[in-house]
Amino acid sequence: MANLSLKHIYKVYPNGAKAVNDFNMQIADKEFIVFVGPSGCGKSTTLRMIAGLEEITAGELKIGDTVVNGMEPKDRDIAMVFQNYALYPHMTIYENIAFGLRMRKIPDIKRYKKDDKDGHKAGEPVLGKDGKEIPVMRKYNKREIDEKVTEAAEILGITEYLKRKPKEMSGGQRQRVALGRAIVRQPKVMLLDEPLSNLDAKLRTQMRSEIVKLHKKLQTTFIYVTHDQVEAMTMGTRIVVMKDGFVKQIDTPKNLYKYPANKFVAGFIGTPQMNFFEGTLKKDGDKVIIDFAYSDAKITVPYSMLMKTTPQYLDGTKTVYIGFRAEDVTLEPERVAQSPAKIKVRISHSEELGTETLVYGDINMDGDGFAETSTRVIIKSGGFKEYMPDTVCEAALDINAIHLFDKDTEESIMPRIPEYNYLDCKVQNGNITFLGNTLPLPPAIECGDGVGEMLIPVSAVNFDGGIKAKVFGSENINGQILLSLEINGGRIYALSEKVIEEGIVNIGIDFKKLILKTDGKEILPMPLTNGLDGTFVADKGANRGEKIFSLLIDGVKFAAPEEVYSKMFAATTGRKVYNSQFRYEWSPYDIAVADSGLKAEVEKMLDYGKEKFAKCRVGDETLYVKADKDIEGTVFLSPDAGKVSVIESQRQIRIV
């Protein structure tokens, strides 16, 4: 059994086409992971890279603690089930399952075949001169093969078919044989590439259950590829949704459905697909007005229900996508009467599905409800209900289930972990007042007096300050603890490394991450990434044949550790690494002021109270460097090559 680690995995073909872009994921032992997405999204390519059937362009793939990038498929201890069963037609089912074992050798240790006069007993390990057991590779014997095939056949319920040929079996039975051929290997990882796509709908449903049951019985890591979102939702412990070579979201089935990170995931997961409208959001005091485009629909809701919304979308000028699932819109008279958020819908037609009825309509009274427009709405109603076409009625919206997306990027603007806390503030005499608290602004923030807004990133709220806050709620979001805090009647969010019980805590603000807007002026946060362009070079070492590899930046060399240059060589196979342009990136904490290195001019010091940073100029680049004391004039900067992030400029591939 094994866990998997995929870091910055790319697949780029010679013509420059990117099949997989910057795939990052940690897969725990015994997980059932499903890759899902439309054709051409890169899911099968990723699976084949894990199997070793496709070469990895860049990135690091680990199975267990072993980096397997250059390892042959047969040595990775994985088994793969393909879309077509690939059974040998001339062999029996027993022979098909056993074939891989007959061809495969297994590691063992040398043992005595019989008792000898020196006191060694049959079966005891033979020790070498160093006192260690002598390793050997041996073939499976007939008894072992028979035991494994019999066990696999019993698990899959095909014991009575072992003497048959594949042509005498149904599609579902052949699929079981293909699974059996994989599980007799007892691999660390099972890879399944759309194994049910050739089966009819009823048999697919049955085999889904069989594979889930098989996963529980084998207790090994499964990675399953499908284009069917129903398969993904019903089988996976976690799902990877992909599109055009990019990972759009990785999460549990429940979280994908309830908290989609973008419009693609929201529309891809769930049947029928989510309703999407266009509209604007306008914050007015403690309320938000939601205005639906191309219709007369407009509702007003408390701002407290939309607090996680990214602030810049609340000015009423930016068009956004507004999403509601079919079950979050209702025509039930009792619920409509009690709802504060109601819109008018013109019914066009309905579909009776037995336990529920899908009602189609339009919030534009001139819309037909058939075309997939930004005003069409699908409503899920329980049981058999008859709705007359062209009827205009009121529908209630569940605002607690609203989804909001940027119109251009289609990314969620209402994430589970909000990016910012959006607060009103006042600046006067070098102090800032918000939520009834007044704090001195650090010297680095040069701001005139005035009234305005402050955007505090959730990550900038720490537990090392003098602001008293009351914890009144916490949520574990994929291992991150999101706290809801109350300060003098106002509410903000913070991230914590551990669960904090409800009660009073002291918090502070990391001012270098703050965005401040007063009287038309905007103070932006200090950049936390420094970038420099450079190349890669090799020099002869002191010993014969030795080479020293370095990052060359502005004529200065910085020796690269093996973990960095090995990834650079691996990612540029077939290309000349020495002729490539790279973008090297560091955080302000990974560049030091030294006696030698890159020549820089200090433009100013930024004093944030507990920390100081030097704003430096290196050529045309601006760098921010953590400094223990004030510095000025010309200095030399030495970045830590072991903590570099490397991007190949031409193909825009993040290598390290």
Side-chain angles (χ1 to χ4, degrees), residues 125-170:
V126 177
L127 303 181
K129 292 180 180 179
D130 57 0
K132 296 181 179 179
E133 296 170 344
I134 301 173
V136 294
M137 296 295 290
R138 66 175 179 82
K139 288 186 176 182
Y140 280 100
N141 60 45
K142 189 176 184 306
R143 178 184 56 79
E144 287 177 303
I145 291 175
D146 191 61
E147 287 176 356
K148 289 182 178 294
V149 173
T150 301
E151 181 185 9
E154 288 175 355
I155 290 172
L156 296 167
I158 55 174
T159 304
E160 59 190 280
Y161 307 124
L162 290 177
K163 294 183 180 180
R164 293 189 184 182
K165 297 284 181 70
K167 66 181 179 181
E168 302 173 72
M169 303 186 74
S170 68

Side-chain angles (χ1 to χ4, degrees), residues 75-305:
D75 299 323
R76 298 191 181 196
D77 202 5
I78 52 97
M80 189 161 179
V81 179
F82 295 90
Q83 183 174 350
N84 56 347
Y85 318 125
L87 303 180
Y88 297 107
H90 63 287
M91 293 183 181
T92 64
I93 300 308
Y94 180 100
E95 291 168 339
N96 266 283
I97 297 175
F99 182 77
L101 295 179
R102 286 176 175 159
M103 296 294 102
R104 186 177 175 83
K105 291 185 178 181
I106 56 174
D108 199 357
I109 56 173
K110 192 173 183 180
R111 300 177 184 276
Y112 290 99
K113 294 182 179 179
K114 58 183 180 180
D115 298 349
D116 64 17
K117 60 183 179 180
D118 295 324
H120 299 120
K121 300 292 184 182
E124 282 186 356
V126 177
L127 303 181
K129 292 180 180 179
D130 57 0
K132 296 181 179 179
E133 296 170 344
I134 301 173
V136 294
M137 296 295 290
R138 66 175 179 82
K139 288 186 176 182
Y140 280 100
N141 60 45
K142 189 176 184 306
R143 178 184 56 79
E144 287 177 303
I145 291 175
D146 191 61
E147 287 176 356
K148 289 182 178 294
V149 173
T150 301
E151 181 185 9
E154 288 175 355
I155 290 172
L156 296 167
I158 55 174
T159 304
E160 59 190 280
Y161 307 124
L162 290 177
K163 294 183 180 180
R164 293 189 184 182
K165 297 284 181 70
K167 66 181 179 181
E168 302 173 72
M169 303 186 74
S170 68
Q173 290 167 340
R174 292 182 198 180
Q175 189 61 74
R176 285 192 178 94
V177 176
L179 287 167
R181 188 170 51 190
I183 67 176
V184 292
R185 292 265 313 280
Q186 296 180 338
K188 290 181 179 177
V189 185
M190 282 275 286
L191 308 178
L192 301 97
D193 190 5
E194 302 201 42
L196 308 184
S197 59
N198 292 333
L199 307 181
D200 61 63
K202 184 177 180 181
L203 196 51
R204 277 204 305 272
T205 303
Q206 179 186 342
M207 285 302 299
R208 281 206 308 263
S209 300
E210 294 288 343
I211 291 175
V212 171
K213 184 169 71 174
L214 180 64
H215 172 252
K216 290 181 178 178
K217 187 171 290 188
L218 295 180
Q219 290 293 293
T220 191
T221 307
F222 273 45
I223 304 178
Y224 186 101
V225 165
T226 181
H227 62 273
D228 186 338
Q229 59 107 354
V230 176
E231 279 184 20
M233 294 289 285
T234 55
M235 299 175 75
T237 53
R238 281 194 299 160
I239 300 172
V240 182
V241 184
M242 299 184 70
K243 180 189 179 187
D244 299 332
F246 291 91
V247 174
K248 305 301 288 184
Q249 190 173 351
I250 302 174
D251 217 324
T252 63
K254 177 182 176 182
N255 287 342
L256 284 178
Y257 190 82
K258 293 183 67 176
Y259 310 107
N262 47 72
K263 183 173 179 280
F264 174 77
V265 173
F268 190 82
I269 300 294
T271 303
Q273 79 164 28
M274 185 181 288
N275 296 298
F276 294 111
F277 310 100
E278 291 182 33
T280 57
L281 311 170
K282 175 69 175 177
K283 184 176 183 293
D284 184 10
D286 60 353
K287 297 185 181 299
V288 176
I289 301 166
I290 303 177
D291 193 350
F292 294 80
Y294 315 116
S295 74
D296 296 328
K298 183 184 293 188
I299 58 176
T300 301
V301 301
Y303 173 61
S304 59
M305 303 182 79

Side-chain angles (χ1 to χ4, degrees), residues 37 147 222-223 329 354 369 399 411 428 437-438 458 476 482 488:
E147 287 176 356
F222 273 45
I223 304 178
V329 186
I399 297 300
E411 293 298 311
Q428 187 174 17
N437 289 271
T438 300
V458 173
N476 190 326
L482 181 68
N488 295 326

Side-chain angles (χ1 to χ4, degrees), residues 16 38 84 119 133 135 227 235 270 315 334 360 485 521 540-541 547 583 594:
N84 56 347
E133 296 170 344
H227 62 273
M235 299 175 75
D315 62 2
E334 296 172 356
Y360 291 77
L485 306 174
K521 296 180 181 179
K540 291 181 179 180
K547 282 189 176 182
R583 182 73 173 174

